[in-house]
Amino acid sequence: MKILISGGTVLTLDPALGDLARGDVLVDDGKIADVAARIDAPDAHVIDATDRIVMPGFVDNHRHSWQTAFRGAGSDWTFPEWAQAMHRTVKPHYTPEDVYIGTLLGRLEALHCGVTTMLDWYHVAQTHAHEDAAVAALTDAPGRSVFCLGAGWGSSTDVDDDIRRVRAQLTGGGRIDMALGLRGPAATGIDTVTREVKLADELGLRISLHIEAPGVITELRQHGLLRDTLTGVHANGIGEDELRMLADAGGSLSISPDVELKMGFGAPMTGLALAAGLRPTLSIDDVPSAGGDMFSTMRTAFATQRGLDGALRSRDLLNFATADAAASLGLQARTGTLTPGKDADLILLRTDDLTVFPVTDPASTVVSAGHPGLVDTVLTAGRIVKRDGALLGVDLTALRTRLLASRDRIATAAGIPLDGTWYPQPAA
């Protein structure tokens, strides 16, 4: 059906269209049909956007949603402590049901917070049933998702057949797509990396790679493995020379500022990436350690970089979290801006809430004071999935019960407390 979003403050994030202090957005057959000061569409269903900011939905290109059941448990953990807790302590006890319910609630949380597109970085690798459970969860959640398969995570085993198996299910072009979570040369050796990058090329998969030490980008370049389809994650401490290598290859960088600062990775690479010609993108990473919304992520990245050099502006952060992130997923023709012809992935944010009222500068308000409570309405490809502050068609009571049962069963099996005293000790 046609939907007319009428009378809002429109932030298109499309430089050719600009902003509208008072504007309408027409949605037809899941696409943005028009953006203008006033649109006459008598046959459309009208959403009154008075006292609302209308903008593109957020794009999160790196989140490990299988960990949702342990939300908040790792706020004080360093990276080695997180790895000990999530990968060595609880992961061995995850069943496919645990993967399913964690992934589903994680994706619904993201939608609730206005994330219309999300890459789910799966590295709870155990069996095909676990992988299929994650895919099923993303399929059951409304919204656009990319299943990033980190097959064989923590090992150097041959996973080519596994990658092909999942790609045969997720052929691309639809609401659920696939990417390859590359393990990297330190984990598997460069020969395996070479084979998997070539397999990704063959299957049309974008690549996401956690970069945790200098030299990785140099080694990939030396072997001809840098691609414009590659997104490096974190990359704290990487020199400007390697950042320029990634930029010259057309690659992208995903920054998770809350996790990076808390876990001891170092300062986010936002400013250094820009200086090297990279457009940074933003991601949540994991909710045991950080909040699951893009508002707090933008604010942390903004405040940190402003404290270092004062160079960023609010609109930069909005672009990092929408248009730039969409481009990093190869989805710039489909989402990321309110441009006619693109999918209608958009959100309406309240401006009459006392935490932001009065809204004098909409872009600055979203970045400096925005929060999930402002997310009134969410559309993905023209489908209304949240309205008046509530997700539609979702039995949250039943899902909460399942998630709690999953968490409690895993905790019992792993022998860990759930009273706030769990503090993992990394292996020597």
Side-chain angles (χ1 to χ4, degrees):
M1 65 176 177
K2 287 185 179 180
I3 300 172
L4 180 63
I5 301 169
S6 178
T9 299
V10 181
L11 304 180
T12 70
L13 298 187
D14 181 335
L17 297 176
D19 300 339
L20 297 172
R22 188 273 175 215
D24 295 348
V25 178
L26 180 64
V27 176
D28 190 5
D29 195 26
K31 304 279 187 183
I32 298 172
D34 195 10
V35 179
R38 293 192 181 273
I39 297 173
D40 184 23
D43 57 340
H45 169 73
V46 176
I47 294 178
D48 184 2
T50 303
D51 296 326
R52 302 290 185 267
I53 293 170
V54 184
M55 63 171 284
F58 296 117
V59 179
D60 178 357
N61 62 5
H62 161 238
R63 186 185 302 222
H64 307 289
S65 61
W66 64 271
Q67 303 171 32
T68 302
F70 291 93
R71 178 189 306 282
S75 295
D76 299 332
W77 295 344
T78 63
F79 177 69
E81 290 162 349
W82 169 85
Q84 178 67 27
M86 299 312 301
H87 281 289
R88 302 186 189 101
T89 304
V90 302
K91 185 168 78 172
H93 300 285
Y94 264 70
T95 68
E97 160 65 11
D98 300 320
V99 172
Y100 175 85
I101 194 63
T103 301
L104 179 58
L105 263 294
R107 184 65 188 99
L108 290 174
E109 172 200 11
L111 276 171
H112 180 65
C113 296
V115 176
T116 52
T117 299
M118 189 188 90
L119 180 142
D120 187 65
W121 220 113
Y122 170 95
H123 57 5
V124 59
Q126 297 191 60
T127 69
H128 289 170
H130 288 73
E131 295 169 353
D132 294 343
V135 171
L138 296 176
T139 303
D140 290 347
R144 188 192 315 281
S145 298
V146 178
F147 178 61
C148 185
L149 176 60
W153 185 259
S155 74
S156 58
T157 56
D158 185 339
V159 293
D160 293 30
D161 289 343
D162 201 9
I163 296 167
R164 291 184 184 276
R165 186 191 74 88
V166 177
R167 185 53 164 171
Q169 302 174 41
L170 302 175
T171 56
R175 189 170 60 84
I176 312 297
D177 207 340
M178 179 184 171
L180 173 63
L182 196 65
R183 290 169 288 179
T188 65
I190 197 63
D191 290 343
T192 298
V193 171
T194 299
R195 189 179 69 249
E196 290 184 354
V197 169
K198 290 181 178 178
L199 179 60
D201 291 346
E202 174 192 337
L203 299 178
L205 298 175
R206 299 189 76 83
I207 300 168
S208 183
L209 171 65
H210 291 80
I211 299 174
E212 296 164 356
V216 173
I217 295 175
T218 299
E219 187 172 9
L220 293 178
R221 186 189 188 194
Q222 288 172 345
H223 289 83
L225 300 177
L226 288 183
R227 300 283 192 277
D228 60 3
T229 55
L230 172 67
T231 297
V233 179
H234 303 313
N236 302 81
I238 300 300
E240 185 176 337
D241 56 341
E242 288 198 285
L243 290 172
R244 288 194 181 279
M245 292 177 196
L246 184 59
D248 291 344
S252 53
L253 181 66
S254 178
I255 294 170
S256 307
D258 290 288
V259 165
E260 291 162 8
L261 289 165
K262 283 182 177 180
M263 287 192 183
F265 289 15
M269 301 291 284
T270 317
L272 292 174
L274 285 168
L278 278 171
R279 292 293 299 175
T281 65
L282 298 177
S283 61
I284 305 303
D285 200 342
D286 72 271
V287 298
S289 302
D293 67 280
M294 195 61 75
F295 299 100
S296 57
T297 299
M298 288 191 297
R299 191 151 50 247
T300 298
F302 189 39
T304 302
Q305 194 61 46
R306 290 278 295 186
L308 291 172
D309 60 21
L312 290 183
R313 298 293 182 267
S314 300
R315 196 168 294 266
D316 294 325
L317 278 297
L318 288 182
N319 281 304
F320 297 164
T322 55
D324 293 326
S328 77
L329 296 175
L331 295 171
Q332 63 270 29
R334 298 183 62 183
T335 194
T337 63
L338 300 186
T339 304
K342 290 190 178 184
D343 289 355
D345 297 340
L346 53 87
I347 59 177
L348 275 65
L349 307 178
R350 300 185 66 96
T351 60
D352 55 357
D353 189 281
L354 290 181
T355 59
V356 294
F357 181 85
V359 173
T360 304
D361 181 329
S364 294
T365 297
V366 172
V367 173
S368 64
H371 56 84
L374 303 179
V375 182
D376 175 81
T377 300
V378 178
L379 278 72
T380 63
R383 176 185 175 186
I384 303 172
V385 299
K386 183 178 182 180
R387 188 75 181 104
D388 297 327
L391 292 171
L392 304 180
V394 178
D395 187 349
L396 287 178
T397 299
L399 293 178
R400 288 189 184 107
T401 298
R402 288 173 66 182
L403 188 68
L404 286 174
S406 168
R407 182 200 64 180
D408 294 350
R409 186 200 63 76
I410 294 169
T412 298
I416 57 175
L418 293 174
D419 59 0
T421 62
W422 178 25
Y423 204 82
Q425 296 299 315

